[in-house]
Amino acid sequence: MARGAGAPANFLFLACAKNLVSEYYAFCDQDDVWEADKLARAIDILERTGADVPAVYGSRTSLIDENGKTTGFSPLFSKTPTFRSALVQSIAGGNTMVFQSKSARAAGVLRHRR
């Protein structure tokens, strides 16, 4: 990782690392706590989108205190998320996202590695 480059640069560095090859990717910071079934839920939803459809799973973030008690949630948007809205508003935090390798390739982040 690039020391002092910031989270976006470090996540991109990891997404492009040639030695990290997977069908799915999910990022986590040192202070993130995932629900036990987060990856299973995300992959189930992504697999239902269709084999040829690039997709990204994202959810609301639970805000917790130092004891792990929920203190609130990230904003709940009233409109159904669309690709267009995702371009102009943060509809899901990076810490909640799970995406397919084909989604990253479609966005130009990953090259075909297989």
Side-chain angles (χ1 to χ4, degrees):
M1 285 186 257
R3 193 173 195 90
N10 287 333
F11 286 154
L12 187 58
F13 174 84
L14 288 171
C16 295
K18 293 183 182 194
N19 62 337
L20 296 176
V21 179
S22 180
E23 285 299 312
Y24 300 96
Y25 296 88
F27 296 122
C28 183
D29 285 331
Q30 72 280 0
D31 61 346
D32 293 342
V33 178
W34 287 357
E35 297 290 333
D37 64 343
K38 171 194 170 138
L39 293 176
R41 277 193 332 246
I43 290 170
D44 178 59
I45 289 169
L46 290 170
E47 287 180 345
R48 287 190 268 148
T49 63
D52 296 332
V53 180
V56 175
Y57 167 90
S59 66
R60 294 177 73 190
T61 299
S62 296
L63 308 174
I64 60 173
D65 64 17
E66 61 276 357
N67 299 312
K69 182 180 176 192
T70 300
T71 60
F73 298 93
S74 60
L76 176 61
F77 297 102
S78 58
K79 292 185 179 181
T80 301
T82 64
F83 181 75
R84 185 175 184 196
S85 66
L87 294 175
V88 296
Q89 78 185 125
S90 178
I91 62 171
N95 62 315
T96 72
M97 291 184 185
V98 179
F99 58 96
Q100 308 150 311
S101 60
K102 64 184 153 208
S103 300
R105 284 193 298 269
V109 175
L110 298 176
R111 294 181 206 50
H112 292 278
R113 299 183 195 162
R114 294 184 184 179

